[in-house]
Amino acid sequence: MSPSDVEATPARAPSKAPTRKGENTRNQILETALRLFRERGYDGTTMRAVAEEAGVSLGSAYYYFRSKEHLIQAYYQRSHDEHLQDCSGRLGSERDLEARLLLVLRSKIDTSAPYHRFAGQLFRTASDPDSPLSPFSEESLPVRRQATELLQRVVEGSDAKVTPTLAQELPGLLWLYLMGIILFWVHDRSTECVRTYRLIDRTTELVVRVIGLASMPLLRPLVKSAVVLTTELRRLATPDHLGEALGEEAP
Amino acid sequence: MSPSDVEATPARAPSKAPTRKGENTRNQILETALRLFRERGYDGTTMRAVAEEAGVSLGSAYYYFRSKEHLIQAYYQRSHDEHLQDCSGRLGSERDLEARLLLVLRSKIDTSAPYHRFAGQLFRTASDPDSPLSPFSEESLPVRRQATELLQRVVEGSDAKVTPTLAQELPGLLWLYLMGIILFWVHDRSTECVRTYRLIDRTTELVVRVIGLASMPLLRPLVKSAVVLTTELRRLATPDHLGEALGEEAP
DNA sequence: TCCTTGTTTTGAACGCGTTCAATATTGGGA
DNA sequence: TCCCAATATTGAACGCGTTCAAAACAAGGA
């Protein structure tokens, strides 16, 4: 994965190697923006404020980030990196699927906590299908793939027996499940987001139980239908001309 | 339900009965807005254009609609009314649950077709939890309740046997299911939205099968857990101080 | 040294959603 | 009839995201 894959995408990509000068300015703007997002939320953060606090002009901010929304793409990557770092180590010592899943989900909420308000306003623009920020969009694919890979590790590193039919689609399904949890979380107004954590506890148990039941002969056709369905869902994410799959190679 | 419940909510509510004059202007603005939404999409429709084409000043538009987003609330109501009218009649002659569900879902997509592009951009602002336009928000409650009532009719008018535990929560769950379908639909770029219709066909079959299976003794605890979960979900929709339930009285 | 080519930076300007103080228009009571 | 409070209507102004032509700067080649 090239370093400039997601982090460094200047509005007008410099023809070859990015200069040292521009790199610094870019980082300056990005760090300032993420800080202001945390402090003031998305709407509360104006591009003018970002530029000013970063010590550059308004135009410069737009030179490095095509739009305010493109700053969010950088947030996705940052958020995932922190998530990965937070749970990656602890994942090694645990074999139980439910425990592994719990660990990863809780970690996501933990690490995202400072951005709670921000993430709420985020989901607005993010769920516009035309927006490059939709978690389903092509532009979000790199981060989405990374996240799916993490969930694949969760399953494969566990001692759970998973029906082959299901195993193939499970990481993608779990990613959808994670999206659902996040959707709940951004709406969650309870103190310390206790409801979200409660939801995670309950649904994880449920999910693991369902995965177990999936091997019952009686339920086989139902599982089959459900799996076929995900194909349809995935085709939605990628426009007709792309044959991309969701997270196929392991690290 | 008072006539001015949702349709007529002037920014500064007139103390008593709304005057005839204002009523006309309001309708003029609303009709113009909905037309422009259809023709140009949400972003393509400026408040200035709405005002101009409606033959009033910009300020007047804001006198009747607190914000551009509040025009959407009116769209929700309109959309539901059209949906209801479209499927209400045909619903009487059918007893099979799957057929009834299919009918209602397809009808929703059919009647929403002219607003496809608009609805896409809509979901952006709609999924901001702080926005009064969130389908989960307090302000959307009247329409949400009406929609849930329709789904209740779908179930109760059918000859399907539903576990009592489930029966209570089913309309709310089906509403969530409908939201999911709509979410798919707004992302659907296929011609004539054939994918959405295919999705409806497949998922409806699945949903009905699951409802049937729910009575299996083996699955009882799982169903119980799932139903308990919905309580948590609903509590999310309504902030702490409200004890509101979702669709309790039949028409 | 100066010119050249490409990168970086700037600030003014545009169109938008929104607010608001001021004005015009009602309609009912004296 | 005239007056007055409630209702309707107006347009200028604000702050925002975004665009863009122009200027400043960097680095090599002559």
Side-chain angles (χ1 to χ4, degrees):
Chain A
M1 193 173 22
S2 104
S4 64
D5 222 343
V6 170
E7 280 284 318
T9 313
R12 283 116 193 163
S15 41
K16 292 297 160 193
T19 329
R20 201 104 234 99
K21 184 76 180 309
E23 198 85 344
N24 288 342
T25 316
R26 205 195 122 87
N27 285 339
Q28 188 60 234
I29 294 170
L30 178 55
E31 292 307 319
T32 307
L34 289 177
R35 177 170 60 81
L36 292 186
F37 283 158
R38 250 177 288 134
E39 292 174 3
R40 316 180 181 176
Y42 185 68
D43 291 335
T45 302
T46 73
M47 287 299 276
R48 285 169 174 81
V50 171
E52 187 171 358
E53 298 233 353
V56 300
S57 77
L58 181 58
S60 270
Y62 277 95
Y63 179 74
Y64 289 100
F65 296 91
R66 215 190 318 258
S67 75
K68 193 181 176 184
E69 297 193 350
H70 276 76
L71 281 166
I72 298 180
Q73 204 65 249
Y75 161 74
Y76 282 166
Q77 186 66 51
R78 169 79 46 111
S79 172
H80 175 71
D81 290 345
E82 287 178 13
H83 182 205
L84 201 62
Q85 168 162 16
D86 183 68
C87 66
S88 209
R90 282 180 286 155
L91 213 50
S93 54
E94 180 61 63
R95 289 280 85 89
D96 181 58
L97 179 57
E98 184 172 344
R100 288 172 71 84
L101 202 47
L102 267 177
L103 181 70
V104 168
L105 294 178
R106 285 181 183 152
S107 164
K108 184 69 189 181
I109 302 300
D110 290 345
T111 54
S112 300
Y115 294 94
H116 190 215
R117 190 168 42 132
F118 166 63
Q121 298 165 323
L122 189 72
F123 252 68
R124 172 178 32 174
T125 54
S127 56
D128 179 358
D130 290 330
S131 165
L133 292 167
S134 162
F136 303 101
S137 81
E138 203 172 329
E139 257 128 321
S140 309
L141 196 136
V143 196
R144 186 167 71 240
R145 202 197 316 259
Q146 291 174 51
T148 314
E149 277 165 13
L150 174 60
L151 291 166
Q152 192 175 12
R153 266 177 54 201
V154 167
V155 178
E156 294 187 347
S158 84
D159 53 15
K161 304 222 176 306
V162 182
T163 317
T165 334
L166 189 57
Q168 195 183 348
E169 300 293 338
L170 200 48
L173 287 173
L174 290 178
W175 179 77
L176 277 178
Y177 167 45
L178 173 61
M179 288 295 105
I181 296 289
I182 290 179
L183 183 61
F184 184 95
W185 171 69
V186 304
H187 282 83
D188 189 356
R189 291 279 171 278
S190 67
T191 57
E192 307 262 350
C193 294
V194 284
R195 281 185 188 163
T196 301
Y197 286 101
R198 212 162 42 223
L199 183 75
I200 289 178
D201 292 349
R202 288 178 183 164
T203 52
T204 304
E205 193 213 336
L206 219 63
V207 164
V208 172
R209 241 195 295 168
V210 168
I211 294 176
L213 284 172
S215 58
M216 281 178 52
L218 191 67
L219 297 180
R220 208 43 85 71
L222 201 120
V223 171
K224 183 74 189 171
S225 304
V227 164
V228 166
L229 237 166
T230 64
T231 317
E232 187 71 15
L233 282 174
R234 182 163 47 249
R235 203 175 295 155
L236 183 67
T238 54
D240 286 334
H241 57 283
L242 286 177
E244 270 291 33
L246 213 67
E248 265 176 348
E249 73 267 14
Chain B
M1 191 171 22
S2 104
S4 64
D5 222 343
V6 170
E7 279 285 320
T9 311
R12 282 116 194 163
S15 42
K16 292 298 161 192
T19 327
R20 201 101 234 102
K21 183 76 182 308
E23 199 85 344
N24 287 342
T25 316
R26 207 195 121 87
N27 285 338
Q28 188 60 234
I29 294 170
L30 179 55
E31 292 309 317
T32 308
L34 289 178
R35 177 172 60 81
L36 292 186
F37 283 157
R38 248 175 290 134
E39 292 174 4
R40 316 180 180 176
Y42 185 68
D43 291 335
T45 303
T46 73
M47 287 299 275
R48 284 171 175 80
V50 171
E52 188 170 358
E53 298 234 352
V56 300
S57 78
L58 181 59
S60 268
Y62 277 94
Y63 180 74
Y64 289 99
F65 296 91
R66 215 189 319 259
S67 75
K68 191 181 178 185
E69 297 193 350
H70 276 77
L71 282 167
I72 299 179
Q73 204 65 249
Y75 162 74
Y76 283 165
Q77 186 65 53
R78 166 80 46 112
S79 172
H80 175 71
D81 291 345
E82 287 178 12
H83 182 206
L84 201 62
Q85 169 163 14
D86 184 67
C87 66
S88 210
R90 281 179 288 155
L91 212 50
S93 53
E94 181 61 61
R95 288 280 83 91
D96 181 58
L97 179 58
E98 184 171 342
R100 289 172 70 84
L101 203 47
L102 267 177
L103 181 70
V104 168
L105 294 177
R106 285 181 182 150
S107 164
K108 183 70 188 181
I109 302 302
D110 290 345
T111 54
S112 300
Y115 294 94
H116 190 215
R117 190 169 41 133
F118 166 63
Q121 299 166 322
L122 189 72
F123 252 68
R124 172 179 32 176
T125 55
S127 57
D128 179 359
D130 291 330
S131 165
L133 292 167
S134 162
F136 304 100
S137 81
E138 205 172 328
E139 256 129 320
S140 310
L141 196 135
V143 196
R144 186 168 70 239
R145 202 199 312 262
Q146 291 174 51
T148 315
E149 277 164 15
L150 173 60
L151 290 166
Q152 193 175 11
R153 267 177 54 201
V154 167
V155 177
E156 294 186 350
S158 84
D159 53 15
K161 302 224 177 306
V162 182
T163 317
T165 336
L166 189 57
Q168 194 184 349
E169 300 293 338
L170 199 49
L173 286 172
L174 290 178
W175 179 77
L176 277 177
Y177 167 46
L178 173 61
M179 290 295 105
I181 296 288
I182 291 179
L183 183 63
F184 184 96
W185 171 69
V186 304
H187 283 83
D188 189 356
R189 292 277 172 280
S190 68
T191 56
E192 307 262 349
C193 293
V194 283
R195 280 185 188 164
T196 301
Y197 287 101
R198 211 160 46 220
L199 183 76
I200 289 177
D201 292 348
R202 288 179 184 164
T203 51
T204 304
E205 192 213 338
L206 220 63
V207 163
V208 171
R209 241 196 296 168
V210 168
I211 293 176
L213 284 172
S215 58
M216 280 178 54
L218 191 68
L219 296 180
R220 207 42 84 71
L222 201 122
V223 171
K224 184 72 188 173
S225 305
V227 165
V228 166
L229 236 166
T230 65
T231 317
E232 188 71 15
L233 283 175
R234 183 164 46 248
R235 204 176 294 155
L236 183 67
T238 55
D240 286 334
H241 58 283
L242 287 177
E244 270 291 36
L246 214 67
E248 264 173 349
E249 75 266 13

